[in-house]
Amino acid sequence: MTVLPHRYGDHPDQFLELSLPVDPGPAPVAVVLHGGFWRAAYGVELARPLAADLAAFGYAAVAVEYRRVGAGGGWPHTLEDVAAAVDSLAGLPQVDRLDLRDVTVIGHSAGGHLAAWVAGRRRLPDGMPGAGPSVPVTAAVLQAGVLDLTAAVEQRLGDGAVVDFLGARPAESPERYAAADPVALLPSGVPVLCVHGAEDDVVPVDQSRRYAAAAAAVGEQVEVSVVPGDHMAVIDPASDAWRTARTWMTRRRTLGA
């Protein structure tokens, strides 16, 4: 496996790491977005183990770093960075190794929010951060994701992390929530799996269920898999929770769905 760093901007945190599989042909792409409640205390090191595992299973895996709250991030910069990182894949020197017709975005916790947002960003109006994607995603795996931001504010997830991220409460800036909240960007038009630990006391399973219910309300089916384990179990490459996600990805590719 080869790991190649690439910059998609000038800020120190605007970079991605591409892990290529051994097979030299074009590979399906898996973009891994780490969590940490959008805060600078947590970084791309959380994404690297999953990227390495995915590369070993034949994916061109992309671990993304981005600006976070406390280090130049928050609204709108974090969203702009994630969108720019995904769109930059088409310009990588190794683009011939990437099958950009098959791009799965995977995210944990706040990264789950970002993954769901990326899946739905085609619905954003012109002028909003992330609008007009040039590299669309074809599937999403949301691991213990923060997927309903208004509910997350009410639940005070991450000790007010959503308000810190967007710089306002929902009533103070409804336009920011409309542009950043995954439930507001449904239907995404792509297959989605939510994986959530039954014992998660950081982001409640209710967040995945709310997202699935919002999708169903607009005629889209989102699969929710509640698995044994806590908030971090879903990003342990040796866990059943991660195998559930990877098996879903493999099955989707096999069936061509």
Side-chain angles (χ1 to χ4, degrees):
M1 180 185 70
T2 303
V3 181
L4 303 166
H6 294 281
R7 303 207 61 82
Y8 61 86
D10 295 331
H11 190 277
D13 290 334
Q14 292 175 315
F15 68 90
L16 58 84
E17 297 170 349
L18 173 63
S19 298
L20 292 172
V22 173
D23 189 330
V29 179
V31 178
V32 185
L33 301 170
H34 71 80
F37 280 123
W38 309 279
R39 289 171 174 146
Y42 306 91
V44 72
E45 66 276 0
L46 294 172
R48 287 171 177 150
L50 297 189
D53 183 79
L54 288 163
F57 276 84
Y59 288 88
V62 182
V64 176
E65 189 57 283
Y66 50 87
R67 287 175 289 177
R68 289 141 289 149
V69 175
W75 172 272
H77 307 302
T78 296
L79 299 176
E80 292 172 338
D81 282 5
V82 173
V86 174
D87 288 344
S88 76
L89 299 180
L92 294 183
Q94 300 82 12
V95 68
D96 61 327
R97 299 285 308 276
L98 312 181
D99 183 357
L100 294 180
R101 300 166 302 174
D102 188 351
V103 179
T104 300
V105 62
I106 303 147
H108 171 242
S109 195
H113 158 263
L114 295 171
W117 177 82
V118 169
R121 63 186 272 239
R122 65 180 182 84
R123 299 182 56 83
L124 289 166
D126 291 344
M128 296 307 292
S134 58
V135 176
V137 302
T138 54
V141 175
L142 315 177
Q143 305 168 293
V146 184
L147 306 177
D148 184 327
L149 296 186
T150 297
V153 171
E154 296 168 354
Q155 295 165 332
R156 286 196 54 78
L157 297 190
D159 193 23
V162 175
V163 176
D164 291 344
F165 167 49
L166 292 182
R169 299 181 66 83
E172 296 166 338
S173 188
E175 70 281 359
R176 293 188 182 185
Y177 283 79
D181 201 336
V183 296
L185 299 177
L186 290 164
S188 70
V190 302
V192 176
L193 171 68
C194 295
V195 182
H196 220 118
E199 292 80 47
D200 193 333
D201 60 0
V202 177
V203 177
V205 177
D206 170 72
Q207 279 283 318
S208 288
R209 290 176 174 151
R210 281 177 175 270
Y211 183 78
V218 293
E220 192 166 71
Q221 183 175 357
V222 167
E223 185 176 346
V224 177
S225 180
V226 179
V227 297
D230 60 11
H231 187 62
M232 302 303 289
V234 293
I235 59 170
D236 177 357
S239 70
D240 289 339
W242 173 241
R243 280 190 289 273
T244 295
R246 197 180 60 216
T247 297
W248 181 87
M249 293 169 61
T250 302
R251 184 184 308 118
R252 189 191 66 81
R253 288 172 56 199
T254 302
L255 297 177

